[in-house]
Amino acid sequence: MPIFFHQMLKVIQILLIVISAFLMMSFAQVKAEIPSYNLDEDKHLIVDYLYRLIAKPEQNKLNEVNDLSSNEWQQVHLNNGDLLIMPGENWIAFELVNNSDKTKKVYLDMANQVRINAVALFIRDQYNDIDKKKMELQRSNNRSVKVNVYPHSKITIYVAITSSAQLRSSLKVYSIESYIEANSNLQFQQGIVIGGLLCLSIACMLLFFGTGSKAIIALFGYLLSNSLMLAVMLGFNLYYLFPAFTWLVGIELPLLSATSAIFLLAFSTQFFNLKNKFYNIHRVVRAVCWALLIYMPVSLQLSIADNINISMAIYVLLEFSLIVLGIYLYKSAARLALLFTFVMLIQLIFVLIVIVSVNWFDMGFVSYRSSFYGMLFWLNALMITFILSYQYRYQLADKQLAQRQALTSELNSERAQEELFTLQSQTQEDLENRVQERTLELNIALQELEEVNRELEQKNTLDELTGLYNRRFYDQRILAEYRRSKRNLTPLSIVLIDIDHFKSVNDTYGHLAGDQCLAWVSQYINKSLKRSSDMAFRYGGEEFCLILPDTDAKGALALSETLRESIAEQPFIYDNKNISLTVSNGIFTYVQQENVTPEQIFSCADKALYQAKNHGRNQTQEYKAQ
């Protein structure tokens, strides 16, 4: 019986080998066909494509991958649209078809990751002409390139992706309108998430100014570093600003992760007052912080993959250590230790989710999952803030208990003093005086707080020397007025004002005279504004800026000329000396020209000012868009 059984197994093995060989021969004879995408739709998610992996980068030759009958090509279909990228040089191929009578201008948009080294695009048309393009990195952490598909034609797209690790990405084809809309929506969502975290961190900073609590300033640093970390993960990084310096790729991740860990340890130390109550634990925490500080410069010498793994290990060990600390403090009857342990456990789960998504499922730091990462960062921030708010709740309860105890003691004292009428009257009078003093002190404190708030608001928006709005406030207002002008289809004029030969005033009469000169000119600028909606700013040095909503070029020119003539007619008097001053003005009026941003509005006005300077000064020039 056993011999028969072994013979049957051998027969089955031989049949399987024959069937497998037959299937492989049949598969080898099938020619790989390039999937096509018709551009009648506004957006395509690339789910069908040909795939080929080349181990050595020096084999990057289009004529080698152009052989579509090669057995090295794989026909791929993915429902979710994720591109599986292996270490080395990955090639994918697909076609774009235009059956219309117009040229289709589309964008190819690929989710970027820090471990992607380079992405090149090869376009082959129906005449076998080859055009090579580079997919540029965008602020949304995507790589995109613009492609033209002519009427009644098709092109073959070859994408070469060089990666240092196995990861996933995604590739989409957009029309120009859909690309702009998708990119705007994505940046809007990311702006809300990142801006919200920044606002929360700034609120903690302001709260620190009011309370002086070290735990709050540590929380501010933790939230700020997490905000910057999220911004880097979503594309707002140094490499985007300086694409020529490839060594900047991923440089922020280890630095921000170490900084975030240091601030979280500092928050825990201040929250539980470890220095005074658990000094040995405080020494260990301080040693860990020094180790993280030493790691930060060392991380600059490590690879991106090593820094990512080390950063994840830091977070896992940190959260696990804080959980152990919380359990120990709970056993030591420390207040809120159990809640702290629970929050650290939830954060450890978040960290593990990110690690699993990055390493096991190769999700990576891609913008298409910005909502996912934003939700994790926001939950993390809210839970930490919740712990701090709960601590203040207990402090308020302690204060109320102390007040109730004080009130009880006072009542007992009054009952005891009822036996002596004279002593009771004296005590009552003393008590009333104390209440009045405390009320007066409270009112004074409230007034001082209101004055500090007003002074802080003025310092943030006003220039101390001239009394005009400062440049920071200008950056806020020009964006708001630009949007309002674009929404209401109203003109928006910008006037740049520069004092002629201001340097000679400083050189001849001294910088004190120059400061008074700036204040004198600012008074004339304020007098020239007739409407409450018009605003004047000191942009920098001797340069001023006017924002004139609902004002066309003619109105801006009339206001500028009136201001210029009034300054030229009246000399500036310093130390009983008459100093003649003139100004040059540059005007630009935004009337919903295409592709004009707030920065370009200022740039055009600056060009007009430059023309006024070059044509002899003491004049107004208007820049007219082509």
Side-chain angles (χ1 to χ4, degrees), residues 538-564:
R538 183 188 178 189
Y539 195 79
E542 70 274 18
E543 192 171 43
F544 302 88
C545 181
L546 304 182
I547 297 181
L548 307 177
D550 298 330
T551 304
D552 55 14
K554 184 177 179 181
L557 180 62
L559 187 147
S560 300
E561 281 296 288
T562 301
L563 173 62
R564 182 187 62 81

Side-chain angles (χ1 to χ4, degrees), residues 473-512:
F473 192 63
Y474 166 81
D475 293 335
Q476 300 174 5
R477 294 309 308 165
I478 187 61
L479 182 59
E481 295 298 338
Y482 169 80
R483 291 175 177 172
R484 190 170 73 87
S485 173
K486 195 170 185 178
R487 182 174 61 250
N488 298 338
L489 301 180
T490 57
L492 172 64
S493 294
I494 297 295
V495 180
L496 284 185
I497 305 167
D498 189 85
I499 302 176
D500 297 328
H501 304 294
F502 180 74
K503 184 176 182 300
S504 64
V505 176
N506 281 331
D507 294 341
T508 305
Y509 302 99
H511 289 280
L512 180 60

Side-chain angles (χ1 to χ4, degrees), residues 251-491:
I251 192 175
E252 307 93 338
L253 296 177
L255 301 178
L256 290 174
S257 61
T259 304
S260 175
I262 291 173
F263 277 115
L264 182 56
L265 289 172
F267 171 78
S268 304
T269 300
Q270 297 298 328
F271 187 79
F272 291 109
N273 195 12
L274 296 181
K275 185 175 182 180
N276 296 328
K277 297 181 179 180
F278 305 92
Y279 185 71
N280 291 331
I281 298 178
H282 171 72
R283 292 177 62 184
V284 174
V285 171
R286 186 171 58 184
V288 173
C289 291
W290 277 109
L292 291 172
L293 287 174
I294 294 173
Y295 161 70
M296 293 171 68
V298 174
S299 67
L300 302 179
Q301 308 300 323
L302 303 177
S303 64
I304 297 175
D306 291 339
N307 279 324
I308 291 176
N309 294 331
I310 293 175
S311 299
M312 292 178 180
I314 288 174
Y315 272 112
V316 172
L317 293 175
L318 175 66
E319 299 297 342
F320 181 77
S321 301
L322 291 178
I323 291 173
V324 174
L325 174 63
I327 294 174
Y328 175 79
L329 295 176
Y330 174 70
K331 292 182 178 180
S332 301
R335 177 182 287 178
L336 295 176
L338 185 61
L339 177 61
F340 178 82
T341 305
F342 175 74
V343 171
M344 292 302 108
L345 178 61
I346 297 298
Q347 288 192 0
L348 178 60
I349 294 174
F350 289 167
V351 172
L352 293 177
I353 290 174
V354 174
I355 292 176
V356 169
S357 67
V358 172
N359 292 329
W360 290 6
F361 295 103
D362 302 317
M363 290 171 64
F365 302 143
V366 297
S367 59
Y368 296 145
R369 296 175 176 90
S370 59
S371 300
F372 169 73
Y373 290 114
M375 178 189 68
L376 294 184
F377 274 79
W378 258 105
L379 288 176
N380 177 28
L382 291 177
M383 286 191 298
I384 292 292
T385 309
F386 173 74
I387 294 178
L388 188 63
S389 64
Y390 225 81
Q391 185 190 50
Y392 278 100
R393 177 183 175 184
Y394 275 111
Q395 291 177 352
L396 181 61
D398 292 341
K399 183 178 180 180
Q400 291 175 349
L401 178 61
Q403 290 175 347
R404 286 195 296 268
Q405 292 175 351
L407 181 59
T408 302
S409 300
E410 186 178 347
L411 292 175
N412 293 333
S413 176
E414 288 180 358
R415 294 191 190 99
Q417 292 172 358
E418 287 178 357
E419 299 176 0
L420 298 174
F421 178 79
T422 304
L423 183 61
Q424 180 185 17
S425 301
Q426 184 179 358
T427 304
Q428 183 69 23
E429 183 179 355
D430 293 339
L431 180 61
E432 291 178 355
N433 291 335
R434 291 177 184 176
V435 171
Q436 291 177 359
E437 291 176 358
R438 294 293 299 273
T439 303
L440 180 60
E441 292 174 357
L442 180 59
N443 291 332
I444 294 175
L446 290 175
Q447 292 176 0
E448 291 177 350
L449 181 60
E450 291 179 357
E451 292 177 358
V452 170
N453 288 335
R454 284 195 296 269
E455 291 177 359
L456 180 61
E457 182 179 359
Q458 290 180 354
K459 289 181 179 179
N460 287 335
T461 58
L462 295 180
D463 179 66
E464 295 182 357
L465 177 62
T466 61
L468 303 180
Y469 293 115
N470 57 24
R471 179 175 178 177
R472 179 186 300 175
F473 192 63
Y474 166 81
D475 293 335
Q476 300 174 5
R477 294 309 308 165
I478 187 61
L479 182 59
E481 295 298 338
Y482 169 80
R483 291 175 177 172
R484 190 170 73 87
S485 173
K486 195 170 185 178
R487 182 174 61 250
N488 298 338
L489 301 180
T490 57

Side-chain angles (χ1 to χ4, degrees), residues 585-602:
N585 303 326
I587 301 174
F588 178 74
T589 301
Y590 170 68
V591 286
Q592 289 77 48
Q593 298 95 330
E594 294 183 359
N595 301 323
V596 174
T597 63
E599 292 80 6
Q600 292 172 336
I601 293 175
F602 182 87

Side-chain angles (χ1 to χ4, degrees), residues 92-187:
I92 67 173
F94 56 93
E95 291 181 347
L96 298 180
V97 181
N98 181 11
N99 294 323
S100 65
D101 297 329
K102 297 181 180 179
T103 299
K104 295 284 188 177
K105 298 181 179 180
V106 296
Y107 274 92
L108 271 68
D109 192 61
M110 189 184 81
N112 182 57
Q113 299 190 33
V114 294
R115 291 174 287 184
I116 292 179
N117 298 330
V119 180
L121 192 76
F122 298 89
I123 305 173
R124 189 186 68 182
D125 59 18
Q126 56 190 347
Y127 304 106
N128 289 324
D129 292 334
I130 304 297
D131 185 16
K132 180 179 179 181
K133 295 187 176 183
K134 180 181 178 182
M135 298 193 77
E136 299 289 346
L137 186 63
Q138 304 299 316
R139 190 176 64 182
S140 59
N141 205 18
N142 293 347
R143 292 179 180 266
S144 64
V145 65
K146 184 178 179 181
V147 176
N148 295 328
V149 185
Y150 296 102
H152 301 290
S153 65
K154 67 178 181 180
I155 60 175
T156 304
I157 303 293
Y158 296 92
V159 183
I161 307 170
T162 304
S163 174
S164 59
Q166 177 178 336
L167 45 87
R168 290 181 184 270
S169 183
S170 56
L171 183 63
K172 294 184 180 181
V173 179
Y174 289 96
S175 66
I176 293 181
E177 295 79 8
S178 298
Y179 176 77
I180 295 175
E181 180 181 0
N183 203 28
S184 299
N185 292 336
L186 182 61
Q187 293 185 13

